[in-house]
Amino acid sequence: MRINDYIIKERLPFFFCAGCGHGISIKMLTETFDELNIPKNNIVTVTGIGCYGKADDYIDTNTMHTVHGRALAYATGVKVANPELTVVAMMGDGDSAAIGGNHLIHAARRNVGITAIVSNNMNYGMTGGQYSPTTPYLSITATSPYGFPERPLDLCKLVIASGGTFVARTTVFHTAQLKKYIKMALQHKGFSFIEILSPCPTQYGKNNKLSSAPKLVKYLKEITSPVSKAKETGKIPIGILKETNDVLEYNEAYMQIVNKIKEKK
Ligand code: SF4
């Protein structure tokens, strides 16, 4: 495996369990930085808490390891302070959909030009496999041993409804598609959001008779289908779910107001 220059090689191997999907998305993200030739100093990678929150340990850009659920708040601050930077917030499902859910709504609504990547493994892996807002209905978790009675939150629908201007979903099985979407998201002007369905064989997999990583990746492949066929299959749609450039990015909208005030003076 070629290790790109945006990975801190001395820190390898990843701390993640064997078969965890987080390493794949870190690899795809850093390869995309490399392919787009973005100077390391122009990138700020912001993480929250949880297994995916360890991502900043391995990424050789400016990084911020923040508090649970607040990665987007920090990322927004960085982008507003310096709109020239490429800012990426990396979050798990607990981080983005539970404690950070409100920040997700408002970052999307503001159309602030950051890329939010959610590695959704459908449970709280690091703390023992408790259910999260994206846990599938009737799944077995540490806190729902007889089946999870709630319906999962569709993060992409939430971001679309909140005003996000680039929204895509894929899985770690679809690596080429994942890299393509990361590239599009990084080049998008407003708020871009990618949900990656990712295996957690140690917790979610073990609790749901999918403990081998290949079984779990196959499961993710089977429960998804291209967005064009999702209605007919009833599966989770993967693909680009929204893309528009019709809305001003937050900093641009802000500067329009600033310039109007300047003109009046
Ligand atoms: Fe990955 Fe799950 Fe292990 Fe965390 S507990 S590193 S999410 S496999």
Side-chain angles (χ1 to χ4, degrees), residues 15-243:
F15 115 110
F16 308 124
C17 309
C20 178
H22 293 333
I24 297 173
S25 60
I26 294 172
K27 183 174 187 288
M28 293 301 124
L29 174 65
T30 51
E31 279 188 10
T32 311
F33 288 153
D34 202 13
E35 283 172 24
L36 292 176
N37 209 12
I38 312 174
K40 291 179 183 180
N41 250 342
N42 290 6
I43 304 170
V44 182
T45 310
V46 185
T47 60
I49 297 296
C51 296
Y52 202 46
K54 296 287 286 175
D56 61 278
D57 285 4
Y58 307 97
I59 299 178
D60 193 10
T61 62
N62 300 292
T63 57
M64 293 176 84
H65 184 60
T66 69
V67 289
H68 201 203
R70 302 295 178 262
L72 283 171
Y74 284 83
T76 300
V78 172
K79 187 70 182 179
V80 171
N82 187 348
E84 300 307 314
L85 294 172
T86 296
V87 183
V88 181
M90 302 174 78
M91 301 165 285
D93 40 300
D95 223 1
S96 62
I99 190 167
N102 203 26
H103 290 284
L104 182 60
I105 291 169
H106 294 290
R109 178 181 63 82
R110 292 183 182 115
N111 197 32
V112 59
I114 57 187
T115 296
I117 298 179
V118 173
S119 188
N120 176 7
N121 58 25
M122 304 172 289
N123 76 155
Y124 286 87
M126 183 176 260
T127 50
Q130 297 87 350
Y131 61 73
S132 81
T134 61
T135 299
Y137 182 55
L138 297 181
S139 296
I140 307 299
T141 71
T143 40
S144 60
Y146 304 107
F148 184 55
E150 303 172 19
R151 287 171 303 159
L153 181 62
D154 185 325
L155 281 173
C156 290
K157 277 189 181 163
L158 178 73
V159 174
I160 291 170
S162 304
T165 47
F166 179 90
V167 180
R169 181 191 289 119
T170 186
T171 80
V172 295
F173 176 81
H174 303 85
T175 48
Q177 187 182 57
L178 172 56
K179 200 198 270 188
K180 179 179 160 197
Y181 293 166
I182 293 174
K183 198 171 273 180
M184 292 172 80
L186 290 176
Q187 292 175 316
H188 182 76
K189 245 192 174 176
F191 185 75
S192 53
F193 178 82
I194 303 174
E195 179 185 0
I196 308 165
L197 299 179
S198 184
C200 170
T202 303
Q203 304 292 2
Y204 187 84
K206 185 191 71 187
N207 284 325
N208 291 281
K209 299 193 176 118
L210 295 160
S211 52
S212 86
K215 243 189 192 175
L216 193 44
V217 172
K218 197 166 161 243
Y219 164 78
L220 294 178
K221 185 175 169 261
E222 280 165 1
I223 61 169
T224 55
S225 76
V227 62
S228 55
K229 293 187 183 152
K231 260 201 182 140
E232 150 202 334
T233 61
K235 295 183 178 183
I236 299 170
I238 55 171
I240 295 169
L241 307 177
K242 183 177 177 184
E243 186 181 15

